[in-house]
Amino acid sequence: MIEAIEIRTVRLPLRAPFQTSNGVSTERELVLVRIAGGGAEGWGECVAEREPTYSSEHSRGAVDVMRSFLLPRLLAAQVRTAEEVAPALRGVVGHPMAKAALELAVLDLVLRRRGVPLAQYFGATRTRIPAGVSVGIQPSVAALLDVVGGFVDEGYRRIKLKIQPGWDVEPVRAVRKKFGDDLPLQVDANAAYDLADAPLLRRLDEFGLLLIEQPLHHDDLYQHARLAEMLTTPLCLDESVVSARSAAAAISMGAASIINVKPGRVGGYLEAKRIHDLAQAHGVAVWCGGMLESGLGRRANIALAALPGFTLPGDTSASDRFYATDLTAPVTLEADGHVLVPSEPGIGATPDPDLLRKFTVDTWSYER
Ligand code: NPG
């Protein structure tokens, strides 16, 4: 089925620097995979960053692991469906973001050939979903209030604030004071705290947050369970959940009452759907995370987030949140803070060839 493969590294300039507890970015490096076969093409997007600061994966490493270890297995297995991709790649340990990109490219190819939209394949029925937006660490509280005010005016349905030690209680207090108790608000620490910070984190309880996301280190499942007992704010895990197995462990230990589902972090959209199903069966809410995807990955996330268990707004903001120019037709925000679930076959968009050429910094290709 696979006749040709192209792996491209692209760099998209960000409209404004994006700061988290892991550092500041001014551009987004992404790896795109194009697989052609049977007169159709499919696209996948690898969300590994240029530097391994969020997880151990990074874009140059992802390209290498695809070329050296994943593609040879994919080709040898002669996969014909997306369901066959993860089993074909199981022999390689780790590298979930690289694996997810290949699985998505195969899935997109198969669905385009069948004329089936991704959301329909997942079993999603919603045609639009409420969008949340993630707000980076700002140089001052005044700057933060301006930025949040802009997103509230645009209609975003919930705000997520990035926090880190020294930028937590005061910015949250200021946003609550200015925008009121009805604004759906949550915070994300990207693993910046220790269990010893529990008294500080407990001070966030008074602000009625939807959740605190990943306060502790990614392998601190036990400590998250202890912390959860000390807080009234629900604990949500991101970095710690790398598979349906770790999601099950987190739920049964009481380490998370909410899960951020990111397909790249868990090795693909099929595993992400399994986490949705598992969480739903246990009454645990999930929401769809974001990793500054282009219009390809973003559309795929929106299709996933249209499943019924995604009961909280996700990081599914529109293209213009991060990019002046997206690679595809932009994902847009409707007047009431919703984004539309793509209804075209597969992911529902392809990159514009001229923009793709303009933003590509490296290409590798293979033909059978
Ligand atoms: O809307 O795509 C978005 C950004 C959401 O804050 C966001 N993502 O830790 O969840 C995160 C963070 C992130 C971005 C992590 C890029 C890693 C890479």
Side-chain angles (χ1 to χ4, degrees):
M1 172 187 113
I2 298 178
E3 289 157 14
I5 302 167
E6 204 173 80
I7 302 177
R8 277 174 187 266
T9 306
V10 298
R11 284 195 195 136
L12 301 177
L14 297 184
R15 286 178 59 181
F18 185 60
Q19 183 176 351
T20 74
S21 65
N22 293 325
V24 188
S25 321
T26 54
E27 62 176 9
R28 178 63 163 120
E29 185 167 292
L30 289 163
V31 176
L32 303 182
V33 180
R34 176 181 174 274
I35 295 184
E41 63 174 16
W43 288 87
E45 176 166 330
C46 174
V47 292
E49 294 185 283
R50 198 175 65 78
E51 295 188 359
T53 53
Y54 167 84
S55 74
S56 62
E57 284 182 279
H58 62 109
S59 41
R60 198 143 42 89
V63 173
D64 185 59
V65 85
M66 284 184 206
R67 289 178 50 178
S68 305
F69 307 113
L70 299 178
L71 289 175
R73 283 170 168 81
L74 199 66
L75 293 167
Q78 301 191 328
V79 299
R80 305 187 68 81
T81 67
E83 290 75 12
E84 291 167 347
V85 174
L89 306 180
R90 194 165 285 154
V92 174
V93 175
H95 302 282
M97 295 172 182
K99 291 172 176 173
L102 298 182
E103 185 193 78
L104 180 59
V106 172
L107 183 56
D108 187 37
L109 172 58
V110 169
L111 294 182
R112 274 177 212 262
R113 280 176 27 182
R114 287 171 34 199
V116 174
L118 201 49
Q120 185 185 324
Y121 165 82
F122 290 140
T125 48
R126 283 187 284 173
T127 56
R128 57 210 291 281
I129 56 165
V133 64
S134 173
V135 180
I137 292 163
Q138 303 295 319
S140 66
V141 168
L144 175 70
L145 295 177
D146 266 4
V147 172
V148 171
F151 290 133
V152 169
D153 290 347
E154 279 186 69
Y156 280 107
R157 289 306 186 100
R158 81 66 180 123
I159 302 287
K160 153 167 150 177
L161 303 181
K162 291 289 188 178
I163 59 168
Q164 66 181 13
W167 181 264
D168 39 41
V169 177
E170 289 325 311
V172 172
R173 186 192 305 284
V175 169
R176 262 288 175 250
K177 188 161 170 238
K178 171 137 190 207
F179 300 97
D181 291 340
D182 291 341
L183 176 73
L185 186 64
Q186 63 192 57
V187 295
D188 181 7
N190 288 108
Y193 295 87
D194 292 317
L195 189 54
D197 296 313
L200 169 71
L201 294 169
R202 202 151 50 192
R203 291 175 58 201
L204 294 170
D205 279 344
E206 69 173 283
F207 302 115
L209 301 176
L210 290 169
L211 57 93
I212 299 181
E213 183 180 356
Q214 196 70 41
L216 312 180
H217 198 261
H218 72 93
D219 60 4
D220 277 353
L221 265 198
Y222 175 80
Q223 288 86 338
H224 276 106
R226 296 283 73 77
L227 180 64
E229 294 168 348
M230 300 179 215
L231 305 179
T232 57
T233 309
L235 262 196
C236 169
L237 290 179
D238 171 7
E239 285 90 330
S240 295
V241 174
V242 295
S243 61
R245 275 190 306 278
S246 63
I251 292 168
S252 45
M253 282 171 80
S257 51
I258 298 172
I259 293 175
N260 166 340
V261 178
K262 281 183 183 163
R265 196 193 64 222
V266 303
Y269 285 82
L270 275 57
E271 187 75 355
K273 161 95 164 59
R274 283 190 279 274
I275 295 176
H276 161 273
D277 297 348
L278 170 94
Q280 207 184 18
H282 287 81
V284 166
V286 298
W287 56 279
C288 185
M291 292 191 64
L292 285 75
E293 292 85 358
S294 78
L296 288 171
R298 207 57 149 193
R299 280 184 171 78
N301 288 352
I302 292 167
L304 180 74
L307 282 165
F310 285 85
T311 51
L312 292 168
D315 284 336
T316 52
S317 50
S319 297
D320 67 1
R321 156 70 185 91
F322 289 109
Y323 303 114
T325 313
D326 202 334
L327 284 173
T328 62
V331 173
T332 54
L333 192 69
E334 303 294 293
D336 61 350
H338 283 61
V339 287
L340 298 181
V341 178
S343 55
E344 302 84 3
I347 292 174
T350 49
D352 175 276
D354 293 332
L355 292 174
L356 193 57
R357 223 169 292 123
K358 176 172 169 194
F359 292 120
T360 295
V361 294
D362 185 57
T363 311
W364 174 87
S365 53
Y366 160 91
E367 257 179 69
R368 201 193 277 281

